[in-house]
Amino acid sequence: MKNFIQTLPKTETHLHLEGALPYELLHAWQPERFPAEASFHAPEFRFASFPAFDQVLLGHALPWFVSAERYHQAAKAIFARHLAQNVRYVETSFHLPVTGFIGVPGREIIAAIRSAVPAGLEVRIFAGMLRTDYVDAMQVVIEELENWDELDGVDLHGYEPVPTESWTARVWARLRAAGKVTKVHAGEFDGAARVREAIEVLGSSRIQHGVRAVEDPSVLSLARDRGVTFDVCPISNVRLRVVPEMKAHPLRKLMQAGVRCTVSTDDPLVFGNSITQEYEALAEELAFTCEELAAVARNGFSVALIPEEQRRRHLADIDRLLAESTAAAAAVRSNGRPAAVSRAAGL
């Protein structure tokens, strides 16, 4: 299974760039401040609350991200890890208000991230913002986003119980009309009603997390019928106590209800996770089969912002790997193990 997961072409569609800063960069930069082993990376560690998580995240990310060059350095290391795991497509967001904190225009940050993209990896860049960010200078920036050709979309994130303000639906609709993809964090720290709001009021077809939609079958039906995708982060959900343990994660229930789901890491800086570990957790804790893992991978490429020919090529690679793996498993069950098939399947 580990070999199958490594060989499987994968995507990452829910990744906060500041939250993906490799911890090793921090340790190498200031070892006296950031010890080699982070206590919050321990497998048994759980955050007491979202504010507690946010404090750790900001306390580690903000000291690093002070310039466009630092964004480039971090992105280069992040994307190299993706390539090593056979991740071929990434959607990542940067926190738009940071541009005001450090005095670097958002477009320069986007350029710094994009210049770090290696050959063999497709990256799409989103601007993330809080539900309360539409004020003062940031309001002016948000109103200009539709003209940023280098920006692929926007993401509404932050502490979910904060009410969604009236400006959001109008701005989100205008950005979609300009060709931007609009994402919304919902169904994580608040219930299924927030997923319904994201779909019906904000018009989004990409929900970040969405797992608590399982609490309301009518919301699952809505998401299925509207073709909405949930970009799910299982290890994050466990570490933040959205679910009590991996074995209780509702990902399979969501998929069985007909909701398209992808799998991502969210904030590996604080969770200490990787895409490979996400897939391995599904296999080990939820008994996901190769067919189910392949379905997750297919979902990522199905919603990827790539040309159709490229999409078909990735999907064909997944289908070919699954067929080879199935053939190799059948050979083992019949007490045979053709060498060529076994090698092709990575077994």
Side-chain angles (χ1 to χ4, degrees), residues 197-261:
E197 174 195 61
I199 298 171
E200 293 186 334
V201 179
L202 302 185
S204 293
S205 61
R206 296 291 297 279
I207 306 301
Q208 307 297 274
H209 296 297
V211 293
R212 290 187 59 184
V214 76
E215 298 169 4
D216 186 341
S218 70
V219 174
L220 291 180
S221 297
L222 174 68
R224 179 199 63 213
D225 295 344
R226 296 278 185 95
V228 172
T229 299
F230 290 179
D231 295 312
V232 180
C233 304
I235 291 176
S236 167
N237 295 155
V238 173
R239 294 295 184 96
L240 289 174
R241 304 176 189 264
V242 175
V243 298
E245 59 181 348
M246 188 61 71
K247 286 183 171 63
H249 199 282
L251 179 59
R252 179 179 278 118
K253 292 180 180 178
L254 295 171
M255 295 177 67
Q256 289 175 339
V259 179
R260 181 165 49 202
C261 296

Short mmCIF file of all heavy atoms in Angstrom, two decimals, residues 197-261:
data_model
loop_
_atom_site.label_atom_id
_atom_site.label_comp_id
_atom_site.label_asym_id
_atom_site.label_seq_id
_atom_site.Cartn_x
_atom_site.Cartn_y
_atom_site.Cartn_z
N GLU A 197 -24.73 27.80 3.71
CA GLU A 197 -24.53 29.22 3.46
C GLU A 197 -23.47 29.43 2.37
O GLU A 197 -23.65 30.25 1.46
CB GLU A 197 -24.10 29.93 4.74
CG GLU A 197 -23.72 31.39 4.55
CD GLU A 197 -22.96 31.96 5.73
OE1 GLU A 197 -21.86 31.42 6.04
OE2 GLU A 197 -23.45 32.92 6.33
N ALA A 198 -22.37 28.70 2.47
CA ALA A 198 -21.28 28.86 1.51
C ALA A 198 -21.74 28.51 0.10
O ALA A 198 -21.32 29.14 -0.88
CB ALA A 198 -20.10 27.98 1.91
N ILE A 199 -22.63 27.54 -0.01
CA ILE A 199 -23.11 27.10 -1.33
C ILE A 199 -24.22 28.02 -1.84
O ILE A 199 -24.17 28.52 -2.97
CB ILE A 199 -23.60 25.65 -1.27
CG1 ILE A 199 -22.45 24.71 -0.88
CG2 ILE A 199 -24.20 25.23 -2.61
CD1 ILE A 199 -22.90 23.29 -0.57
N GLU A 200 -25.25 28.24 -1.00
CA GLU A 200 -26.45 28.94 -1.46
C GLU A 200 -26.30 30.47 -1.43
O GLU A 200 -26.81 31.16 -2.33
CB GLU A 200 -27.65 28.53 -0.61
CG GLU A 200 -28.05 27.08 -0.80
CD GLU A 200 -29.32 26.71 -0.06
OE1 GLU A 200 -29.63 27.38 0.96
OE2 GLU A 200 -30.00 25.75 -0.48
N VAL A 201 -25.64 31.00 -0.42
CA VAL A 201 -25.53 32.45 -0.28
C VAL A 201 -24.28 32.99 -0.97
O VAL A 201 -24.34 33.98 -1.71
CB VAL A 201 -25.54 32.87 1.21
CG1 VAL A 201 -25.40 34.38 1.35
CG2 VAL A 201 -26.82 32.38 1.89
N LEU A 202 -23.15 32.32 -0.76
CA LEU A 202 -21.90 32.80 -1.34
C LEU A 202 -21.63 32.22 -2.72
O LEU A 202 -20.74 32.69 -3.42
CB LEU A 202 -20.73 32.48 -0.40
CG LEU A 202 -20.85 33.05 1.02
CD1 LEU A 202 -19.58 32.77 1.82
CD2 LEU A 202 -21.13 34.55 0.98
N GLY A 203 -22.38 31.20 -3.10
CA GLY A 203 -22.26 30.65 -4.45
C GLY A 203 -21.01 29.86 -4.72
O GLY A 203 -20.64 29.65 -5.88
N SER A 204 -20.33 29.39 -3.69
CA SER A 204 -19.06 28.69 -3.87
C SER A 204 -19.29 27.20 -4.14
O SER A 204 -20.16 26.58 -3.54
CB SER A 204 -18.17 28.85 -2.64
OG SER A 204 -17.75 30.19 -2.50
N SER A 205 -18.47 26.67 -5.01
CA SER A 205 -18.52 25.24 -5.29
C SER A 205 -17.28 24.52 -4.75
O SER A 205 -17.12 23.32 -4.97
CB SER A 205 -18.61 24.99 -6.80
OG SER A 205 -17.49 25.53 -7.47
N ARG A 206 -16.43 25.27 -4.04
CA ARG A 206 -15.25 24.68 -3.41
C ARG A 206 -15.31 25.01 -1.93
O ARG A 206 -15.14 26.17 -1.53
CB ARG A 206 -13.97 25.24 -4.05
CG ARG A 206 -13.79 24.88 -5.52
CD ARG A 206 -13.50 23.39 -5.72
NE ARG A 206 -12.26 23.01 -5.08
CZ ARG A 206 -11.06 23.21 -5.62
NH1 ARG A 206 -10.95 23.80 -6.80
NH2 ARG A 206 -9.97 22.81 -4.99
N ILE A 207 -15.54 23.99 -1.12
CA ILE A 207 -15.63 24.15 0.33
C ILE A 207 -14.37 23.58 0.97
O ILE A 207 -14.00 22.43 0.72
CB ILE A 207 -16.88 23.42 0.89
CG1 ILE A 207 -18.14 23.88 0.17
CG2 ILE A 207 -16.99 23.65 2.39
CD1 ILE A 207 -18.42 25.36 0.26
N GLN A 208 -13.73 24.39 1.78
CA GLN A 208 -12.54 23.94 2.50
C GLN A 208 -12.97 23.28 3.80
O GLN A 208 -13.58 23.92 4.65
CB GLN A 208 -11.61 25.13 2.76
CG GLN A 208 -11.28 25.93 1.50
CD GLN A 208 -10.51 25.14 0.46
OE1 GLN A 208 -9.28 25.05 0.50
NE2 GLN A 208 -11.23 24.54 -0.48
N HIS A 209 -12.71 22.01 3.93
CA HIS A 209 -13.17 21.12 5.00
C HIS A 209 -14.55 20.57 4.66
O HIS A 209 -14.65 19.58 3.96
CB HIS A 209 -13.15 21.79 6.37
CG HIS A 209 -11.79 22.19 6.83
ND1 HIS A 209 -10.79 21.27 7.07
CD2 HIS A 209 -11.24 23.41 7.07
CE1 HIS A 209 -9.69 21.90 7.44
NE2 HIS A 209 -9.92 23.20 7.44
N GLY A 210 -15.61 21.16 5.16
CA GLY A 210 -16.96 20.70 4.84
C GLY A 210 -17.41 19.45 5.57
O GLY A 210 -18.54 18.99 5.38
N VAL A 211 -16.56 18.91 6.45
CA VAL A 211 -16.83 17.58 7.01
C VAL A 211 -18.10 17.54 7.86
O VAL A 211 -18.76 16.51 7.95
CB VAL A 211 -15.63 17.06 7.81
CG1 VAL A 211 -14.45 16.79 6.87
CG2 VAL A 211 -15.22 18.05 8.90
N ARG A 212 -18.46 18.66 8.47
CA ARG A 212 -19.64 18.63 9.35
C ARG A 212 -20.95 18.71 8.56
O ARG A 212 -22.03 18.63 9.15
CB ARG A 212 -19.54 19.72 10.41
CG ARG A 212 -18.43 19.43 11.43
CD ARG A 212 -18.43 20.39 12.57
NE ARG A 212 -19.68 20.40 13.30
CZ ARG A 212 -19.94 21.23 14.31
NH1 ARG A 212 -19.03 22.12 14.67
NH2 ARG A 212 -21.10 21.20 14.93
N ALA A 213 -20.85 18.77 7.25
CA ALA A 213 -22.05 18.63 6.43
C ALA A 213 -22.69 17.27 6.64
O ALA A 213 -23.89 17.09 6.40
CB ALA A 213 -21.70 18.82 4.95
N VAL A 214 -21.89 16.31 7.12
CA VAL A 214 -22.42 14.97 7.38
C VAL A 214 -23.52 14.99 8.43
O VAL A 214 -24.32 14.04 8.54
CB VAL A 214 -21.26 14.03 7.81
CG1 VAL A 214 -20.84 14.29 9.25
CG2 VAL A 214 -21.62 12.57 7.60
N GLU A 215 -23.61 16.08 9.20
CA GLU A 215 -24.64 16.20 10.24
C GLU A 215 -26.03 16.48 9.66
O GLU A 215 -27.02 16.38 10.38
CB GLU A 215 -24.24 17.32 11.22
CG GLU A 215 -22.93 17.07 11.94
CD GLU A 215 -22.43 18.30 12.69
OE1 GLU A 215 -23.15 19.33 12.70
OE2 GLU A 215 -21.33 18.23 13.27
N ASP A 216 -26.11 16.84 8.40
CA ASP A 216 -27.40 17.18 7.78
C ASP A 216 -27.47 16.55 6.39
O ASP A 216 -26.84 17.05 5.44
CB ASP A 216 -27.56 18.70 7.68
CG ASP A 216 -28.93 19.12 7.19
OD1 ASP A 216 -29.65 18.29 6.60
OD2 ASP A 216 -29.30 20.30 7.38
N PRO A 217 -28.23 15.48 6.23
CA PRO A 217 -28.32 14.82 4.91
C PRO A 217 -28.78 15.75 3.80
O PRO A 217 -28.38 15.57 2.64
CB PRO A 217 -29.36 13.71 5.16
CG PRO A 217 -29.26 13.42 6.62
CD PRO A 217 -28.98 14.74 7.27
N SER A 218 -29.60 16.75 4.12
CA SER A 218 -30.06 17.66 3.07
C SER A 218 -28.92 18.52 2.55
O SER A 218 -28.92 18.90 1.37
CB SER A 218 -31.20 18.55 3.61
OG SER A 218 -30.73 19.49 4.56
N VAL A 219 -27.95 18.84 3.39
CA VAL A 219 -26.78 19.60 2.94
C VAL A 219 -25.88 18.71 2.08
O VAL A 219 -25.32 19.17 1.07
CB VAL A 219 -26.01 20.18 4.13
CG1 VAL A 219 -24.72 20.86 3.67
CG2 VAL A 219 -26.88 21.18 4.88
N LEU A 220 -25.76 17.45 2.43
CA LEU A 220 -25.00 16.53 1.59
C LEU A 220 -25.65 16.42 0.21
O LEU A 220 -24.95 16.43 -0.81
CB LEU A 220 -24.95 15.15 2.25
CG LEU A 220 -24.10 15.01 3.52
CD1 LEU A 220 -24.15 13.58 4.03
CD2 LEU A 220 -22.67 15.44 3.28
N SER A 221 -26.97 16.33 0.18
CA SER A 221 -27.67 16.27 -1.11
C SER A 221 -27.46 17.53 -1.91
O SER A 221 -27.27 17.49 -3.14
CB SER A 221 -29.16 16.02 -0.87
OG SER A 221 -29.38 14.78 -0.24
N LEU A 222 -27.49 18.67 -1.23
CA LEU A 222 -27.26 19.94 -1.89
C LEU A 222 -25.87 19.98 -2.52
O LEU A 222 -25.71 20.37 -3.69
CB LEU A 222 -27.42 21.09 -0.88
CG LEU A 222 -27.06 22.50 -1.38
CD1 LEU A 222 -28.07 22.96 -2.44
CD2 LEU A 222 -27.02 23.48 -0.20
N ALA A 223 -24.87 19.58 -1.76
CA ALA A 223 -23.49 19.58 -2.26
C ALA A 223 -23.34 18.62 -3.44
O ALA A 223 -22.70 18.95 -4.45
CB ALA A 223 -22.53 19.21 -1.14
N ARG A 224 -23.94 17.46 -3.31
CA ARG A 224 -23.88 16.48 -4.41
C ARG A 224 -24.55 17.02 -5.67
O ARG A 224 -23.98 16.98 -6.76
CB ARG A 224 -24.55 15.19 -3.97
CG ARG A 224 -24.57 14.08 -5.02
CD ARG A 224 -25.62 13.04 -4.68
NE ARG A 224 -26.97 13.64 -4.68
CZ ARG A 224 -27.95 13.24 -3.86
NH1 ARG A 224 -27.75 12.29 -2.97
NH2 ARG A 224 -29.14 13.82 -3.94
N ASP A 225 -25.75 17.55 -5.52
CA ASP A 225 -26.52 18.00 -6.68
C ASP A 225 -25.90 19.22 -7.35
O ASP A 225 -26.04 19.41 -8.56
CB ASP A 225 -27.96 18.31 -6.26
CG ASP A 225 -28.70 17.07 -5.78
OD1 ASP A 225 -28.22 15.95 -6.05
OD2 ASP A 225 -29.76 17.22 -5.12
N ARG A 226 -25.23 20.06 -6.57
CA ARG A 226 -24.60 21.26 -7.13
C ARG A 226 -23.18 20.99 -7.65
O ARG A 226 -22.52 21.88 -8.16
CB ARG A 226 -24.54 22.37 -6.07
CG ARG A 226 -25.90 22.87 -5.60
CD ARG A 226 -26.50 23.91 -6.52
NE ARG A 226 -27.74 24.47 -5.99
CZ ARG A 226 -27.82 25.58 -5.29
NH1 ARG A 226 -26.72 26.28 -5.02
NH2 ARG A 226 -28.99 26.02 -4.83
N GLY A 227 -22.70 19.75 -7.49
CA GLY A 227 -21.35 19.43 -7.93
C GLY A 227 -20.27 20.11 -7.11
O GLY A 227 -19.20 20.44 -7.63
N VAL A 228 -20.53 20.31 -5.82
CA VAL A 228 -19.58 20.98 -4.93
C VAL A 228 -18.48 20.02 -4.51
O VAL A 228 -18.71 18.82 -4.33
CB VAL A 228 -20.32 21.52 -3.70
CG1 VAL A 228 -19.35 22.06 -2.65
CG2 VAL A 228 -21.31 22.61 -4.11
N THR A 229 -17.28 20.55 -4.36
CA THR A 229 -16.14 19.76 -3.91
C THR A 229 -15.74 20.17 -2.50
O THR A 229 -15.64 21.37 -2.20
CB THR A 229 -14.93 19.96 -4.84
OG1 THR A 229 -15.28 19.51 -6.16
CG2 THR A 229 -13.72 19.17 -4.36
N PHE A 230 -15.52 19.19 -1.63
CA PHE A 230 -14.99 19.42 -0.29
C PHE A 230 -13.50 19.12 -0.31
O PHE A 230 -13.10 17.98 -0.61
CB PHE A 230 -15.66 18.51 0.74
CG PHE A 230 -17.10 18.81 1.04
CD1 PHE A 230 -17.81 18.02 1.94
CD2 PHE A 230 -17.76 19.87 0.44
CE1 PHE A 230 -19.14 18.28 2.23
CE2 PHE A 230 -19.09 20.15 0.72
CZ PHE A 230 -19.78 19.35 1.62
N ASP A 231 -12.68 20.11 -0.02
CA ASP A 231 -11.23 19.90 0.09
C ASP A 231 -10.91 19.58 1.54
O ASP A 231 -10.74 20.47 2.37
CB ASP A 231 -10.48 21.15 -0.39
CG ASP A 231 -10.71 21.40 -1.88
OD1 ASP A 231 -10.56 20.45 -2.66
OD2 ASP A 231 -11.04 22.54 -2.26
N VAL A 232 -10.85 18.29 1.84
CA VAL A 232 -10.82 17.77 3.22
C VAL A 232 -9.39 17.58 3.69
O VAL A 232 -8.50 17.20 2.92
CB VAL A 232 -11.60 16.44 3.28
CG1 VAL A 232 -11.60 15.88 4.70
CG2 VAL A 232 -13.03 16.63 2.79
N CYS A 233 -9.17 17.82 4.98
CA CYS A 233 -7.84 17.68 5.60
C CYS A 233 -7.97 16.78 6.84
O CYS A 233 -8.13 17.29 7.96
CB CYS A 233 -7.28 19.05 5.97
SG CYS A 233 -7.20 20.20 4.58
N PRO A 234 -7.92 15.47 6.68
CA PRO A 234 -8.22 14.55 7.79
C PRO A 234 -7.33 14.72 9.02
O PRO A 234 -7.84 14.76 10.15
CB PRO A 234 -8.04 13.17 7.16
CG PRO A 234 -8.35 13.39 5.71
CD PRO A 234 -7.77 14.74 5.40
N ILE A 235 -6.02 14.80 8.84
CA ILE A 235 -5.14 14.91 10.02
C ILE A 235 -5.38 16.23 10.74
O ILE A 235 -5.41 16.28 11.98
CB ILE A 235 -3.66 14.75 9.60
CG1 ILE A 235 -3.41 13.29 9.16
CG2 ILE A 235 -2.72 15.14 10.75
CD1 ILE A 235 -2.01 13.04 8.62
N SER A 236 -5.59 17.30 10.00
CA SER A 236 -5.95 18.57 10.62
C SER A 236 -7.22 18.43 11.45
O SER A 236 -7.29 18.94 12.58
CB SER A 236 -6.16 19.63 9.52
OG SER A 236 -6.80 20.79 10.03
N ASN A 237 -8.21 17.74 10.91
CA ASN A 237 -9.48 17.57 11.63
C ASN A 237 -9.28 16.84 12.95
O ASN A 237 -9.95 17.14 13.94
CB ASN A 237 -10.48 16.80 10.77
CG ASN A 237 -10.90 17.55 9.52
OD1 ASN A 237 -11.31 16.94 8.54
ND2 ASN A 237 -10.81 18.88 9.53
N VAL A 238 -8.35 15.88 12.96
CA VAL A 238 -8.07 15.15 14.20
C VAL A 238 -7.29 16.03 15.18
O VAL A 238 -7.64 16.12 16.36
CB VAL A 238 -7.28 13.86 13.90
CG1 VAL A 238 -6.83 13.19 15.20
CG2 VAL A 238 -8.13 12.89 13.08
N ARG A 239 -6.25 16.70 14.68
CA ARG A 239 -5.40 17.52 15.57
C ARG A 239 -6.18 18.69 16.18
O ARG A 239 -5.86 19.14 17.28
CB ARG A 239 -4.19 18.04 14.79
CG ARG A 239 -3.22 16.95 14.33
CD ARG A 239 -2.55 16.25 15.51
NE ARG A 239 -1.56 15.29 15.10
CZ ARG A 239 -0.26 15.55 15.03
NH1 ARG A 239 0.19 16.75 15.33
NH2 ARG A 239 0.58 14.61 14.67
N LEU A 240 -7.19 19.17 15.46
CA LEU A 240 -7.99 20.30 15.96
C LEU A 240 -9.28 19.84 16.65
O LEU A 240 -10.15 20.66 16.95
CB LEU A 240 -8.32 21.25 14.82
CG LEU A 240 -7.13 22.06 14.28
CD1 LEU A 240 -7.52 22.86 13.05
CD2 LEU A 240 -6.58 23.00 15.35
N ARG A 241 -9.42 18.53 16.84
CA ARG A 241 -10.56 17.94 17.57
C ARG A 241 -11.90 18.17 16.86
O ARG A 241 -12.96 18.16 17.49
CB ARG A 241 -10.63 18.49 19.00
CG ARG A 241 -9.36 18.29 19.83
CD ARG A 241 -9.49 18.95 21.19
NE ARG A 241 -8.24 18.96 21.92
CZ ARG A 241 -7.88 18.05 22.84
NH1 ARG A 241 -8.69 17.05 23.12
NH2 ARG A 241 -6.72 18.15 23.47
N VAL A 242 -11.86 18.38 15.55
CA VAL A 242 -13.11 18.43 14.79
C VAL A 242 -13.74 17.04 14.80
O VAL A 242 -14.96 16.89 14.86
CB VAL A 242 -12.84 18.90 13.34
CG1 VAL A 242 -14.12 18.84 12.50
CG2 VAL A 242 -12.29 20.33 13.36
N VAL A 243 -12.89 16.02 14.72
CA VAL A 243 -13.31 14.64 14.93
C VAL A 243 -12.44 14.06 16.05
O VAL A 243 -11.30 14.48 16.23
CB VAL A 243 -13.17 13.79 13.65
CG1 VAL A 243 -14.07 14.34 12.55
CG2 VAL A 243 -11.73 13.75 13.18
N PRO A 244 -12.97 13.12 16.84
CA PRO A 244 -12.21 12.63 17.99
C PRO A 244 -10.99 11.79 17.63
O PRO A 244 -9.99 11.77 18.36
CB PRO A 244 -13.23 11.79 18.77
CG PRO A 244 -14.25 11.39 17.73
CD PRO A 244 -14.32 12.55 16.77
N GLU A 245 -11.04 11.08 16.50
CA GLU A 245 -9.94 10.24 16.07
C GLU A 245 -10.12 9.94 14.58
O GLU A 245 -11.19 10.12 14.01
CB GLU A 245 -9.89 8.94 16.87
CG GLU A 245 -11.17 8.11 16.76
CD GLU A 245 -11.11 6.84 17.57
OE1 GLU A 245 -10.00 6.50 18.03
OE2 GLU A 245 -12.16 6.19 17.72
N MET A 246 -9.04 9.46 13.95
CA MET A 246 -9.11 9.22 12.52
C MET A 246 -10.16 8.18 12.17
O MET A 246 -10.85 8.29 11.14
CB MET A 246 -7.73 8.78 11.99
CG MET A 246 -7.66 8.69 10.48
SD MET A 246 -7.97 10.28 9.64
CE MET A 246 -6.46 11.15 10.07
N LYS A 247 -10.31 7.19 13.02
CA LYS A 247 -11.29 6.13 12.73
C LYS A 247 -12.71 6.69 12.67
O LYS A 247 -13.61 6.05 12.09
CB LYS A 247 -11.20 5.03 13.79
CG LYS A 247 -9.99 4.12 13.66
CD LYS A 247 -10.02 3.01 14.68
CE LYS A 247 -8.92 1.97 14.43
NZ LYS A 247 -7.58 2.53 14.54
N ALA A 248 -12.95 7.86 13.26
CA ALA A 248 -14.28 8.46 13.26
C ALA A 248 -14.45 9.49 12.16
O ALA A 248 -15.51 10.13 12.06
CB ALA A 248 -14.55 9.11 14.62
N HIS A 249 -13.45 9.64 11.31
CA HIS A 249 -13.55 10.68 10.27
C HIS A 249 -14.63 10.32 9.26
O HIS A 249 -14.72 9.17 8.81
CB HIS A 249 -12.20 10.86 9.57
CG HIS A 249 -12.10 12.17 8.85
ND1 HIS A 249 -12.70 12.37 7.62
CD2 HIS A 249 -11.52 13.35 9.20
CE1 HIS A 249 -12.47 13.62 7.24
NE2 HIS A 249 -11.75 14.23 8.18
N PRO A 250 -15.44 11.31 8.83
CA PRO A 250 -16.57 11.01 7.94
C PRO A 250 -16.25 11.04 6.45
O PRO A 250 -17.18 11.06 5.63
CB PRO A 250 -17.56 12.14 8.30
CG PRO A 250 -16.68 13.30 8.62
CD PRO A 250 -15.48 12.70 9.35
N LEU A 251 -14.98 11.02 6.06
CA LEU A 251 -14.65 11.15 4.65
C LEU A 251 -15.36 10.10 3.80
O LEU A 251 -15.93 10.42 2.74
CB LEU A 251 -13.13 11.05 4.44
CG LEU A 251 -12.66 11.15 2.99
CD1 LEU A 251 -13.08 12.46 2.35
CD2 LEU A 251 -11.14 10.97 2.90
N ARG A 252 -15.34 8.84 4.22
CA ARG A 252 -15.99 7.81 3.43
C ARG A 252 -17.49 8.07 3.32
O ARG A 252 -18.09 7.89 2.27
CB ARG A 252 -15.73 6.42 4.02
CG ARG A 252 -16.41 5.31 3.22
CD ARG A 252 -16.14 3.93 3.77
NE ARG A 252 -14.86 3.40 3.32
CZ ARG A 252 -13.85 3.10 4.12
NH1 ARG A 252 -13.96 3.30 5.43
NH2 ARG A 252 -12.73 2.60 3.64
N LYS A 253 -18.12 8.51 4.41
CA LYS A 253 -19.55 8.80 4.39
C LYS A 253 -19.87 9.93 3.40
O LYS A 253 -20.87 9.89 2.68
CB LYS A 253 -20.05 9.17 5.78
CG LYS A 253 -20.02 8.03 6.79
CD LYS A 253 -20.53 8.49 8.15
CE LYS A 253 -20.50 7.35 9.15
NZ LYS A 253 -20.95 7.81 10.51
N LEU A 254 -19.00 10.93 3.38
CA LEU A 254 -19.19 12.04 2.44
C LEU A 254 -19.12 11.54 1.00
O LEU A 254 -19.96 11.90 0.16
CB LEU A 254 -18.12 13.11 2.67
CG LEU A 254 -18.16 13.85 4.01
CD1 LEU A 254 -16.92 14.71 4.16
CD2 LEU A 254 -19.41 14.70 4.13
N MET A 255 -18.14 10.71 0.73
CA MET A 255 -17.96 10.20 -0.63
C MET A 255 -19.10 9.26 -1.01
O MET A 255 -19.58 9.27 -2.15
CB MET A 255 -16.60 9.53 -0.76
CG MET A 255 -15.42 10.49 -0.59
SD MET A 255 -13.79 9.70 -0.64
CE MET A 255 -13.72 9.15 -2.34
N GLN A 256 -19.54 8.44 -0.06
CA GLN A 256 -20.65 7.52 -0.34
C GLN A 256 -21.95 8.29 -0.59
O GLN A 256 -22.84 7.79 -1.29
CB GLN A 256 -20.82 6.53 0.81
CG GLN A 256 -19.70 5.49 0.89
CD GLN A 256 -19.81 4.59 2.09
OE1 GLN A 256 -20.48 4.92 3.10
NE2 GLN A 256 -19.17 3.44 2.04
N ALA A 257 -22.04 9.50 -0.02
CA ALA A 257 -23.22 10.34 -0.25
C ALA A 257 -23.17 11.04 -1.60
O ALA A 257 -24.10 11.76 -1.96
CB ALA A 257 -23.36 11.36 0.87
N GLY A 258 -22.08 10.83 -2.34
CA GLY A 258 -21.96 11.41 -3.67
C GLY A 258 -21.26 12.75 -3.71
O GLY A 258 -21.24 13.40 -4.76
N VAL A 259 -20.67 13.17 -2.58
CA VAL A 259 -19.93 14.44 -2.54
C VAL A 259 -18.50 14.21 -3.02
O VAL A 259 -17.82 13.30 -2.54
CB VAL A 259 -19.92 15.04 -1.13
CG1 VAL A 259 -19.12 16.35 -1.10
CG2 VAL A 259 -21.33 15.27 -0.62
N ARG A 260 -18.05 15.02 -3.96
CA ARG A 260 -16.67 14.92 -4.43
C ARG A 260 -15.74 15.48 -3.37
O ARG A 260 -15.88 16.63 -2.94
CB ARG A 260 -16.50 15.68 -5.74
CG ARG A 260 -15.09 15.61 -6.31
CD ARG A 260 -15.05 16.06 -7.76
NE ARG A 260 -15.74 17.33 -7.94
CZ ARG A 260 -16.22 17.74 -9.11
NH1 ARG A 260 -16.11 16.98 -10.18
NH2 ARG A 260 -16.82 18.92 -9.20
N CYS A 261 -14.77 14.68 -2.94
CA CYS A 261 -13.84 15.09 -1.88
C CYS A 261 -12.41 14.90 -2.34
O CYS A 261 -12.07 13.91 -2.99
CB CYS A 261 -14.05 14.26 -0.61
SG CYS A 261 -15.66 14.47 0.18
#
